Amino acid sequence: MTEFFHDLSVNPFLINGLVAGVLAGLACGIIGPYVITKRIVFLAGAIAHIAVGGVGIALFLKYSGGSYFSGLEPVHGATAIALLAAIIIGVINEKRAEHADTLIGALWAVSMALGILLIKYTPGYQGELMSYLFGNLAYVTRSQLAWMAILDLVILATVLLFHKQFMAVCLDQQLATLQRVPVLAINLLLLCLVALTVICLTQVVGLILVIALLSLPAATVARFVIGMPALLAGATLLGILITTVPRIAVYGTAVSPESAIVLAAGGVYLVSLLMTRRVPE
């Protein structure tokens, strides 16, 4: 751990990795409580995996589509596909609820397969896919940090504007409908925020493992607090701690920081279960 702080002054990528962890922790702390309250962890996982298709499309166009796509980055493709997936999944879940699992599962599988196929035909960039699938805290660029900061601002501003509507649809959709809340529109907006959070977490733990940070910090804090304000604050603080402390702790070892972060999130949640063992009914 002391080695990390010693190298911090000479290696700018260590600073970038820490800042990325803070930005990711902020995003998952804000959106995670809504995800577990509304019980849409499965939908969030689907959005994350579907975004793999966006990574593949962006890389293929960038390196095979000529100069017109030269400025396209994988994160741009992932963001676009994640937002599109959020809208499609929201509509399917609302209009075709009886077939939602099958349709979302098919979309999940097809998009991942398409992304992997396109990257296979983009020679030399399989390694870049791995960084998007499993994260890469060792190499976070300033442009990636800027993108994460923009996403955080959008997420925070939207939650501040629509918190009451989000809570209404999370707690009781039927009552929200009676109160003339535009349920479908608010659900789609919430899923779009989930999509942006997924992209924000990609650099830290990758698209495959983002579900851990979207759900576990909030689920852990929810066992100890009452009320959404306390849950939002606690989940944000825990999210930031989980995305930064394990990265520092395993520096200089053979353990990857991305795996350490997810294992820490799982470990903290397991401890919370043991501490708050429920009395049998």
Side-chain angles (χ1 to χ4, degrees), residues 21-44:
V22 172
L23 293 173
L26 179 62
C28 72
I30 294 173
I31 297 301
Y34 297 108
V35 170
I36 65 167
T37 301
K38 192 166 173 56
R39 299 181 180 180
I40 54 172
V41 175
F42 168 72
L43 299 186

Side-chain angles (χ1 to χ4, degrees), residues 16 73 75-76 140-150:
N16 290 353
E73 295 296 335
V75 70
H76 301 150
V140 182
T141 65
R142 291 291 181 88
S143 62
Q144 289 169 329
L145 288 180
W147 191 252
M148 292 176 71
I150 291 170

Side-chain angles (χ1 to χ4, degrees), residues 156-170:
L156 181 58
T158 307
V159 166
L160 289 174
L161 287 172
F162 295 96
H163 170 69
K164 290 183 179 180
Q165 291 90 332
F166 288 153
M167 287 303 301
V169 298
C170 285

Side-chain angles (χ1 to χ4, degrees), residues 192-212:
C192 285
L193 292 187
V194 170
L196 296 183
T197 304
V198 163
I199 301 304
C200 200
L201 296 174
T202 298
Q203 192 65 34
V204 178
V205 292
L207 291 168
I208 299 297
L209 301 174
V210 295
I211 197 66

Side-chain angles (χ1 to χ4, degrees), residues 35 49 55 82 126 140 149 154:
V35 170
H49 287 76
V55 175
Q126 286 80 3
V140 182
V154 172

Side-chain angles (χ1 to χ4, degrees), residues 97-108:
E98 67 276 12
H99 303 299
D101 286 354
T102 302
L103 293 173
I104 292 170
L107 190 61
W108 177 332

Side-chain angles (χ1 to χ4, degrees), residues 8-97:
L8 196 61
S9 60
V10 296
N11 187 348
F13 287 111
L14 293 181
I15 299 175
N16 290 353
L18 278 183
V19 175
V22 172
L23 293 173
L26 179 62
C28 72
I30 294 173
I31 297 301
Y34 297 108
V35 170
I36 65 167
T37 301
K38 192 166 173 56
R39 299 181 180 180
I40 54 172
V41 175
F42 168 72
L43 299 186
I47 292 170
H49 287 76
I50 291 170
V52 174
V55 175
I57 292 170
L59 282 173
F60 182 79
L61 290 176
K62 180 176 181 178
Y63 297 105
S64 305
S67 59
Y68 184 77
F69 297 102
S70 60
L72 189 64
E73 295 296 335
V75 70
H76 301 150
T79 303
I81 295 300
L83 288 171
L84 179 61
I87 295 171
I88 294 174
I89 286 173
V91 172
I92 288 174
N93 202 49
E94 186 74 19
K95 303 295 185 180
R96 298 286 186 271

